[in-house]
Amino acid sequence: MCGIVGIFDLKDKREINRNLLSRMNETQHHRGPDEGNIHVEAGLGFGHRRLSIIDLSSGQQPMISADSNAVLTYNGEVYNFLELKKELEELGYNFKTHCDTEVILYAWQAWGEACVERFRGMFAFAVWDREQQTLFLARDRLGVKPLYYSELCSGHLIFSSELKALKQHPDFPKKFDATAIEDYFGFGYIPDPKTIYKNVYKLEPGYCLTIKRGQQKYQPRQYWNISFSPRPAQDEKSTAEELITRLREAVKIRMVADVPLGAFLSGGVDSSAIVAMMAGLSKDPVNTCSISFGDPAYNESKFAAQVAERYHTQHRVEQVNADDFSLIDQLAGLYDEPYADSSALPTYRVCQLAKKQVTVVLSGDGGDENLGGYRRYRWHKYEEQMRAWLPTSIRKPVFGLLGQVYPKADWAPKLFRAKSTFESIARDSLEGYFHSVSTLSDELRSNLFSAKLKQDLQGYKAVEVFRRHADNAQTDNPLSLVQYLDIKTYLPGDILTKVDRASMAHALEVRVPLLDHQLVEWMAGLSPDIKLKGRVGKYIFKKSLEAYLPDDILYRPKMGFSVPLDAWFKGPLKQKVREALLGGTITQSGLFNQKFIEHMVAQHQSGLKDYSTPIWSLLMFEAFLRTNS
C-alpha cells in the first residue's frame, strides 16, 4: 500500500516546484515508510511513498516505461497481474520487475483507458502519457483506495491519496462547501465526490478521469456500476456451495505477499468467514487479532477466541479501555475533514495491534452491504410494505401526525421506537431510508444550523445524495435499492475511509475479499429473498458457512464496533464537551445555533435526552476546525 501525489499543468509546461512536490509527498510518509521518490518534468510532477508488499527489491515508483513515453504513480494491489503480464508479454512487452506496477504501466500503453476494466483489485493511480500529452486518473470499483483532486486558480491540477497532501499547496482552496456540511451532519461523513472544501473532490469509486493538456473541460467517467439484475435461480444448496467456492478464491488471491500476513477477527460472521477460508488455504497457522472491551455490551472477544481456537490461529487480543478517547484530535488529523463514525477509535487500535505481527491483513468488510446484513434493511422492508398498503394521501398525514405526537424513546429497543418508525413511514421510500440511517434528523439539523448556514444551503438537503444515486441504480427492488445506496455512499464514505486511514496510519495494508468485484457482481444477482429471509440477514451466506462456523457465531445478534458515547459525555468527557462546544472554535465558526447546542449539552448531561450522536458529530467537527485552521 502506498501514497501518491501529483501536480499537472493544465495549460502549459511550466516548471514544477520540486520542493513543494516533496513536501506534499512527505505528508503521506505514514502510507509508505519504506521508500519515497518524485519525478519532475516540464509541466508535470509525480510523487510516491511506498509500503513494500510484493517484489521488495524492485518496483520503485514513479515508474517510467521502457520507451519513456509513460510515467505511473500507483497505490494498491492488482491481484490478477500475473495473468495480465502473460497477455502483455504475448503483445511484445518486456518486463524488468515481478510486481503489478509495471503491469499497470504497460496495460495503459496496450489498452488505454480500457485497461482499468481488466484490473481485479484495489487501486488508485495516475498515468502520464507524454506522446498523447494526457493525464489519466482511476479509482477501483468499490472505492477501497482513495483519490482526491482539485483544479487550482493557477491552472494546475493536483491529486493525492489524502487531503493533507493537497493542503500543502499554497493555492489550495480552503473555503468550506455548505452542502458538504449538511451532508456531514446528515450522514456522519461527506459522501463522494464532495469534500469539505469547495472545488476539491474525491474521484468516485468505479470512475476514471482523462485530461489532455490544453483541454478546457473534463469530466469523470464511470467505467463500472453494480447491477442487481437477477440471474437464473439455483436451489439453495447449489447457491451456498458456489458462494463458498467464490469466496475461497477471492481470499486465496489476496494471500499473496512477501511480508507477514494475517486477518482481523472480530467474532462476527464476516471476519470469521474470512479466517475460516484462510485456515483452509494456509499451511501455517493464520495470524489473527481482535480488540476487547471491558463492557460486555460491546465485547465480542469471546466469540473471536472461539473461532481462533477452532482454526488454531496465532491469536492476539488487547483490551481497549472504556475511556479510550485520547485519539479524538489525532483522528481529526488522520481524516483531514469531518468524520463522525466513533468506531474509528477501536479500528485505529486494532490496526495498531495488527501491525505488531503483520504488514498485510484480510478484513471482512462488505458482507452486510452485499448480502443484506444490516438490521436497517429489515426495518426498511417492513416500512416499504406499509407504504405499498396505504396510499400517500392517507399514509403521509396519519403517520406524520403520529410521528409528531408520539414521545421519543432513545433508551428503548428499536422495536419500541415507534416515533422514528412513524416518521419514516410518512416519507417516501428514499426519504424514509435516509431518515433511518441519518446521524442527525432533518429537524435536528435545522435546529443546529445558524441562519447564515441555512441561507448558504439555499434549500439543499442531504437526501439529494440518495436521489442522485437512485437515478443510476437500475433496480426497483426495495432491498436491492438500499443495498445499492449503501454501496455507493456508506461503504466508501464511511467504512472504507475509516479502515484506509486507520490502517495506513500504521503502514498496514488491508485487503477486502468480500469486495472482490467479481464476487460482488455475482452476489448482486442473487435473489433478495435469500439475502434477507424473514428476520435473518445474510441468510444464504450464513447457510453456506454452517459447516465452517457454529450457530452462536452465525445467528447471534449483530454487535459491531460500538463505543459508549452516552456514558463518556456524562462522565469523563463531560468537561471536554462543555469546553469544546460551548465556546471557542464552534462559536467563532458562525455555522451553528449556539443556544441549541447549549440546550443539547444540558439535556444530555442531565440524563433527560440522549444527544450523544449529535454531540459526537459536533466534537469531531470542532476538532477538524481546530486542527485544520
PDB file of all heavy atoms in Angstrom, residues 409-433:
ATOM      1  N   ALA A 409     -38.217   7.931  22.354  1.00  0.00           N
ATOM      2  CA  ALA A 409     -37.707   6.994  23.372  1.00  0.00           C
ATOM      3  C   ALA A 409     -36.357   6.450  22.934  1.00  0.00           C
ATOM      4  O   ALA A 409     -36.242   5.335  22.447  1.00  0.00           O
ATOM      5  CB  ALA A 409     -38.703   5.852  23.578  1.00  0.00           C
ATOM      6  N   ASP A 410     -35.314   7.260  23.089  1.00  0.00           N
ATOM      7  CA  ASP A 410     -33.972   6.833  22.678  1.00  0.00           C
ATOM      8  C   ASP A 410     -33.499   5.604  23.440  1.00  0.00           C
ATOM      9  O   ASP A 410     -32.699   4.819  22.940  1.00  0.00           O
ATOM     10  CB  ASP A 410     -32.968   7.973  22.913  1.00  0.00           C
ATOM     11  CG  ASP A 410     -33.268   9.189  22.051  1.00  0.00           C
ATOM     12  OD1 ASP A 410     -33.529   9.006  20.856  1.00  0.00           O
ATOM     13  OD2 ASP A 410     -33.228  10.311  22.576  1.00  0.00           O
ATOM     14  N   TRP A 411     -33.985   5.476  24.663  1.00  0.00           N
ATOM     15  CA  TRP A 411     -33.500   4.410  25.522  1.00  0.00           C
ATOM     16  C   TRP A 411     -34.084   3.043  25.158  1.00  0.00           C
ATOM     17  O   TRP A 411     -33.562   2.017  25.541  1.00  0.00           O
ATOM     18  CB  TRP A 411     -33.889   4.724  26.978  1.00  0.00           C
ATOM     19  CG  TRP A 411     -35.344   5.107  27.103  1.00  0.00           C
ATOM     20  CD1 TRP A 411     -35.884   6.362  27.038  1.00  0.00           C
ATOM     21  CD2 TRP A 411     -36.461   4.215  27.252  1.00  0.00           C
ATOM     22  NE1 TRP A 411     -37.248   6.319  27.146  1.00  0.00           N
ATOM     23  CE2 TRP A 411     -37.638   5.009  27.274  1.00  0.00           C
ATOM     24  CE3 TRP A 411     -36.587   2.834  27.359  1.00  0.00           C
ATOM     25  CZ2 TRP A 411     -38.905   4.473  27.401  1.00  0.00           C
ATOM     26  CZ3 TRP A 411     -37.850   2.281  27.497  1.00  0.00           C
ATOM     27  CH2 TRP A 411     -38.994   3.094  27.515  1.00  0.00           C
ATOM     28  N   ALA A 412     -35.163   3.033  24.388  1.00  0.00           N
ATOM     29  CA  ALA A 412     -35.885   1.778  24.125  1.00  0.00           C
ATOM     30  C   ALA A 412     -35.276   1.012  22.961  1.00  0.00           C
ATOM     31  O   ALA A 412     -34.641   1.588  22.096  1.00  0.00           O
ATOM     32  CB  ALA A 412     -37.346   2.087  23.808  1.00  0.00           C
ATOM     33  N   PRO A 413     -35.463  -0.328  22.930  1.00  0.00           N
ATOM     34  CA  PRO A 413     -35.078  -1.091  21.743  1.00  0.00           C
ATOM     35  C   PRO A 413     -35.804  -0.549  20.519  1.00  0.00           C
ATOM     36  O   PRO A 413     -36.911  -0.002  20.624  1.00  0.00           O
ATOM     37  CB  PRO A 413     -35.551  -2.523  22.081  1.00  0.00           C
ATOM     38  CG  PRO A 413     -35.669  -2.548  23.558  1.00  0.00           C
ATOM     39  CD  PRO A 413     -36.050  -1.164  23.987  1.00  0.00           C
ATOM     40  N   LYS A 414     -35.193  -0.711  19.334  1.00  0.00           N
ATOM     41  CA  LYS A 414     -35.762  -0.091  18.139  1.00  0.00           C
ATOM     42  C   LYS A 414     -37.194  -0.545  17.898  1.00  0.00           C
ATOM     43  O   LYS A 414     -38.011   0.206  17.381  1.00  0.00           O
ATOM     44  CB  LYS A 414     -34.901  -0.409  16.916  1.00  0.00           C
ATOM     45  CG  LYS A 414     -35.472   0.231  15.649  1.00  0.00           C
ATOM     46  CD  LYS A 414     -34.432   0.569  14.617  1.00  0.00           C
ATOM     47  CE  LYS A 414     -35.066   1.378  13.494  1.00  0.00           C
ATOM     48  NZ  LYS A 414     -34.121   1.779  12.475  1.00  0.00           N
ATOM     49  N   LEU A 415     -37.519  -1.789  18.281  1.00  0.00           N
ATOM     50  CA  LEU A 415     -38.873  -2.301  18.095  1.00  0.00           C
ATOM     51  C   LEU A 415     -39.910  -1.362  18.711  1.00  0.00           C
ATOM     52  O   LEU A 415     -41.021  -1.224  18.213  1.00  0.00           O
ATOM     53  CB  LEU A 415     -38.979  -3.695  18.733  1.00  0.00           C
ATOM     54  CG  LEU A 415     -40.360  -4.374  18.715  1.00  0.00           C
ATOM     55  CD1 LEU A 415     -40.798  -4.626  17.278  1.00  0.00           C
ATOM     56  CD2 LEU A 415     -40.326  -5.669  19.518  1.00  0.00           C
ATOM     57  N   PHE A 416     -39.532  -0.686  19.803  1.00  0.00           N
ATOM     58  CA  PHE A 416     -40.480   0.154  20.523  1.00  0.00           C
ATOM     59  C   PHE A 416     -40.277   1.652  20.254  1.00  0.00           C
ATOM     60  O   PHE A 416     -40.897   2.485  20.873  1.00  0.00           O
ATOM     61  CB  PHE A 416     -40.380  -0.119  22.029  1.00  0.00           C
ATOM     62  CG  PHE A 416     -40.646  -1.549  22.368  1.00  0.00           C
ATOM     63  CD1 PHE A 416     -39.612  -2.379  22.765  1.00  0.00           C
ATOM     64  CD2 PHE A 416     -41.919  -2.086  22.258  1.00  0.00           C
ATOM     65  CE1 PHE A 416     -39.848  -3.715  23.066  1.00  0.00           C
ATOM     66  CE2 PHE A 416     -42.159  -3.416  22.564  1.00  0.00           C
ATOM     67  CZ  PHE A 416     -41.118  -4.237  22.960  1.00  0.00           C
ATOM     68  N   ARG A 417     -39.374   1.966  19.316  1.00  0.00           N
ATOM     69  CA  ARG A 417     -39.155   3.375  18.990  1.00  0.00           C
ATOM     70  C   ARG A 417     -40.123   3.774  17.880  1.00  0.00           C
ATOM     71  O   ARG A 417     -39.737   4.039  16.753  1.00  0.00           O
ATOM     72  CB  ARG A 417     -37.705   3.618  18.567  1.00  0.00           C
ATOM     73  CG  ARG A 417     -36.704   3.400  19.686  1.00  0.00           C
ATOM     74  CD  ARG A 417     -35.311   3.763  19.222  1.00  0.00           C
ATOM     75  NE  ARG A 417     -34.309   2.972  19.912  1.00  0.00           N
ATOM     76  CZ  ARG A 417     -33.025   2.936  19.577  1.00  0.00           C
ATOM     77  NH1 ARG A 417     -32.608   3.634  18.533  1.00  0.00           N
ATOM     78  NH2 ARG A 417     -32.180   2.194  20.232  1.00  0.00           N
ATOM     79  N   ALA A 418     -41.400   3.774  18.231  1.00  0.00           N
ATOM     80  CA  ALA A 418     -42.433   3.991  17.217  1.00  0.00           C
ATOM     81  C   ALA A 418     -42.348   5.378  16.594  1.00  0.00           C
ATOM     82  O   ALA A 418     -42.706   5.557  15.432  1.00  0.00           O
ATOM     83  CB  ALA A 418     -43.808   3.770  17.834  1.00  0.00           C
ATOM     84  N   LYS A 419     -41.894   6.373  17.344  1.00  0.00           N
ATOM     85  CA  LYS A 419     -41.829   7.734  16.800  1.00  0.00           C
ATOM     86  C   LYS A 419     -41.010   7.761  15.516  1.00  0.00           C
ATOM     87  O   LYS A 419     -41.446   8.284  14.491  1.00  0.00           O
ATOM     88  CB  LYS A 419     -41.221   8.682  17.836  1.00  0.00           C
ATOM     89  CG  LYS A 419     -41.125  10.134  17.345  1.00  0.00           C
ATOM     90  CD  LYS A 419     -40.525  11.021  18.420  1.00  0.00           C
ATOM     91  CE  LYS A 419     -40.445  12.466  17.966  1.00  0.00           C
ATOM     92  NZ  LYS A 419     -41.783  13.079  17.824  1.00  0.00           N
ATOM     93  N   SER A 420     -39.816   7.179  15.567  1.00  0.00           N
ATOM     94  CA  SER A 420     -38.941   7.168  14.386  1.00  0.00           C
ATOM     95  C   SER A 420     -39.563   6.380  13.237  1.00  0.00           C
ATOM     96  O   SER A 420     -39.474   6.777  12.071  1.00  0.00           O
ATOM     97  CB  SER A 420     -37.579   6.568  14.756  1.00  0.00           C
ATOM     98  OG  SER A 420     -36.718   6.552  13.647  1.00  0.00           O
ATOM     99  N   THR A 421     -40.216   5.249  13.568  1.00  0.00           N
ATOM    100  CA  THR A 421     -40.857   4.429  12.538  1.00  0.00           C
ATOM    101  C   THR A 421     -42.006   5.181  11.876  1.00  0.00           C
ATOM    102  O   THR A 421     -42.146   5.180  10.651  1.00  0.00           O
ATOM    103  CB  THR A 421     -41.377   3.116  13.152  1.00  0.00           C
ATOM    104  OG1 THR A 421     -40.276   2.423  13.748  1.00  0.00           O
ATOM    105  CG2 THR A 421     -42.014   2.239  12.095  1.00  0.00           C
ATOM    106  N   PHE A 422     -42.840   5.852  12.693  1.00  0.00           N
ATOM    107  CA  PHE A 422     -43.956   6.631  12.142  1.00  0.00           C
ATOM    108  C   PHE A 422     -43.433   7.733  11.214  1.00  0.00           C
ATOM    109  O   PHE A 422     -43.973   7.963  10.129  1.00  0.00           O
ATOM    110  CB  PHE A 422     -44.782   7.260  13.267  1.00  0.00           C
ATOM    111  CG  PHE A 422     -45.549   6.265  14.092  1.00  0.00           C
ATOM    112  CD1 PHE A 422     -45.899   6.554  15.402  1.00  0.00           C
ATOM    113  CD2 PHE A 422     -45.931   5.036  13.565  1.00  0.00           C
ATOM    114  CE1 PHE A 422     -46.607   5.655  16.182  1.00  0.00           C
ATOM    115  CE2 PHE A 422     -46.645   4.121  14.337  1.00  0.00           C
ATOM    116  CZ  PHE A 422     -46.975   4.430  15.637  1.00  0.00           C
ATOM    117  N   GLU A 423     -42.378   8.421  11.654  1.00  0.00           N
ATOM    118  CA  GLU A 423     -41.813   9.497  10.857  1.00  0.00           C
ATOM    119  C   GLU A 423     -41.285   8.974   9.528  1.00  0.00           C
ATOM    120  O   GLU A 423     -41.409   9.624   8.484  1.00  0.00           O
ATOM    121  CB  GLU A 423     -40.689  10.197  11.633  1.00  0.00           C
ATOM    122  CG  GLU A 423     -41.184  11.027  12.805  1.00  0.00           C
ATOM    123  CD  GLU A 423     -40.047  11.564  13.665  1.00  0.00           C
ATOM    124  OE1 GLU A 423     -38.924  11.003  13.608  1.00  0.00           O
ATOM    125  OE2 GLU A 423     -40.294  12.526  14.402  1.00  0.00           O
ATOM    126  N   SER A 424     -40.698   7.794   9.573  1.00  0.00           N
ATOM    127  CA  SER A 424     -40.138   7.203   8.358  1.00  0.00           C
ATOM    128  C   SER A 424     -41.242   6.787   7.386  1.00  0.00           C
ATOM    129  O   SER A 424     -41.155   7.038   6.181  1.00  0.00           O
ATOM    130  CB  SER A 424     -39.267   6.000   8.726  1.00  0.00           C
ATOM    131  OG  SER A 424     -38.612   5.494   7.595  1.00  0.00           O
ATOM    132  N   ILE A 425     -42.285   6.137   7.894  1.00  0.00           N
ATOM    133  CA  ILE A 425     -43.370   5.651   7.031  1.00  0.00           C
ATOM    134  C   ILE A 425     -44.098   6.818   6.360  1.00  0.00           C
ATOM    135  O   ILE A 425     -44.604   6.696   5.242  1.00  0.00           O
ATOM    136  CB  ILE A 425     -44.353   4.784   7.847  1.00  0.00           C
ATOM    137  CG1 ILE A 425     -43.662   3.485   8.289  1.00  0.00           C
ATOM    138  CG2 ILE A 425     -45.598   4.438   7.028  1.00  0.00           C
ATOM    139  CD1 ILE A 425     -44.471   2.652   9.262  1.00  0.00           C
ATOM    140  N   ALA A 426     -44.140   7.966   7.024  1.00  0.00           N
ATOM    141  CA  ALA A 426     -44.806   9.136   6.441  1.00  0.00           C
ATOM    142  C   ALA A 426     -44.071   9.675   5.224  1.00  0.00           C
ATOM    143  O   ALA A 426     -44.646  10.393   4.412  1.00  0.00           O
ATOM    144  CB  ALA A 426     -44.936  10.233   7.495  1.00  0.00           C
ATOM    145  N   ARG A 427     -42.815   9.304   5.079  1.00  0.00           N
ATOM    146  CA  ARG A 427     -41.998   9.807   3.975  1.00  0.00           C
ATOM    147  C   ARG A 427     -42.047   8.837   2.790  1.00  0.00           C
ATOM    148  O   ARG A 427     -42.474   7.693   2.938  1.00  0.00           O
ATOM    149  CB  ARG A 427     -40.554   9.975   4.435  1.00  0.00           C
ATOM    150  CG  ARG A 427     -40.352  11.073   5.476  1.00  0.00           C
ATOM    151  CD  ARG A 427     -38.996  10.936   6.148  1.00  0.00           C
ATOM    152  NE  ARG A 427     -38.567  12.131   6.841  1.00  0.00           N
ATOM    153  CZ  ARG A 427     -38.929  12.476   8.066  1.00  0.00           C
ATOM    154  NH1 ARG A 427     -39.764  11.686   8.747  1.00  0.00           N
ATOM    155  NH2 ARG A 427     -38.489  13.589   8.620  1.00  0.00           N
ATOM    156  N   ASP A 428     -41.510   9.288   1.625  1.00  0.00           N
ATOM    157  CA  ASP A 428     -41.384   8.362   0.512  1.00  0.00           C
ATOM    158  C   ASP A 428     -40.222   7.414   0.790  1.00  0.00           C
ATOM    159  O   ASP A 428     -39.521   7.540   1.805  1.00  0.00           O
ATOM    160  CB  ASP A 428     -41.242   9.099  -0.827  1.00  0.00           C
ATOM    161  CG  ASP A 428     -39.915   9.851  -0.977  1.00  0.00           C
ATOM    162  OD1 ASP A 428     -38.915   9.477  -0.335  1.00  0.00           O
ATOM    163  OD2 ASP A 428     -39.877  10.829  -1.755  1.00  0.00           O
ATOM    164  N   SER A 429     -39.984   6.465  -0.087  1.00  0.00           N
ATOM    165  CA  SER A 429     -39.023   5.396   0.165  1.00  0.00           C
ATOM    166  C   SER A 429     -37.616   5.922   0.446  1.00  0.00           C
ATOM    167  O   SER A 429     -36.982   5.541   1.436  1.00  0.00           O
ATOM    168  CB  SER A 429     -38.993   4.433  -1.025  1.00  0.00           C
ATOM    169  OG  SER A 429     -38.116   3.368  -0.773  1.00  0.00           O
ATOM    170  N   LEU A 430     -37.128   6.816  -0.415  1.00  0.00           N
ATOM    171  CA  LEU A 430     -35.768   7.335  -0.240  1.00  0.00           C
ATOM    172  C   LEU A 430     -35.655   8.196   1.006  1.00  0.00           C
ATOM    173  O   LEU A 430     -34.691   8.075   1.771  1.00  0.00           O
ATOM    174  CB  LEU A 430     -35.343   8.136  -1.466  1.00  0.00           C
ATOM    175  CG  LEU A 430     -34.911   7.344  -2.694  1.00  0.00           C
ATOM    176  CD1 LEU A 430     -34.502   8.290  -3.814  1.00  0.00           C
ATOM    177  CD2 LEU A 430     -33.756   6.405  -2.374  1.00  0.00           C
ATOM    178  N   GLU A 431     -36.628   9.070   1.212  1.00  0.00           N
ATOM    179  CA  GLU A 431     -36.601   9.912   2.404  1.00  0.00           C
ATOM    180  C   GLU A 431     -36.721   9.072   3.675  1.00  0.00           C
ATOM    181  O   GLU A 431     -36.087   9.368   4.694  1.00  0.00           O
ATOM    182  CB  GLU A 431     -37.738  10.935   2.342  1.00  0.00           C
ATOM    183  CG  GLU A 431     -37.535  12.017   1.300  1.00  0.00           C
ATOM    184  CD  GLU A 431     -38.723  12.951   1.205  1.00  0.00           C
ATOM    185  OE1 GLU A 431     -39.809  12.588   1.719  1.00  0.00           O
ATOM    186  OE2 GLU A 431     -38.579  14.025   0.596  1.00  0.00           O
ATOM    187  N   GLY A 432     -37.529   8.004   3.596  1.00  0.00           N
ATOM    188  CA  GLY A 432     -37.688   7.115   4.746  1.00  0.00           C
ATOM    189  C   GLY A 432     -36.397   6.400   5.088  1.00  0.00           C
ATOM    190  O   GLY A 432     -36.016   6.301   6.262  1.00  0.00           O
ATOM    191  N   TYR A 433     -35.690   5.916   4.057  1.00  0.00           N
ATOM    192  CA  TYR A 433     -34.425   5.229   4.326  1.00  0.00           C
ATOM    193  C   TYR A 433     -33.388   6.212   4.841  1.00  0.00           C
ATOM    194  O   TYR A 433     -32.645   5.901   5.776  1.00  0.00           O
ATOM    195  CB  TYR A 433     -33.917   4.517   3.070  1.00  0.00           C
ATOM    196  CG  TYR A 433     -32.699   3.657   3.357  1.00  0.00           C
ATOM    197  CD1 TYR A 433     -32.798   2.573   4.234  1.00  0.00           C
ATOM    198  CD2 TYR A 433     -31.463   3.945   2.809  1.00  0.00           C
ATOM    199  CE1 TYR A 433     -31.692   1.796   4.543  1.00  0.00           C
ATOM    200  CE2 TYR A 433     -30.349   3.172   3.102  1.00  0.00           C
ATOM    201  CZ  TYR A 433     -30.475   2.098   3.976  1.00  0.00           C
ATOM    202  OH  TYR A 433     -29.381   1.335   4.288  1.00  0.00           O
TER     203      TYR A 433
END
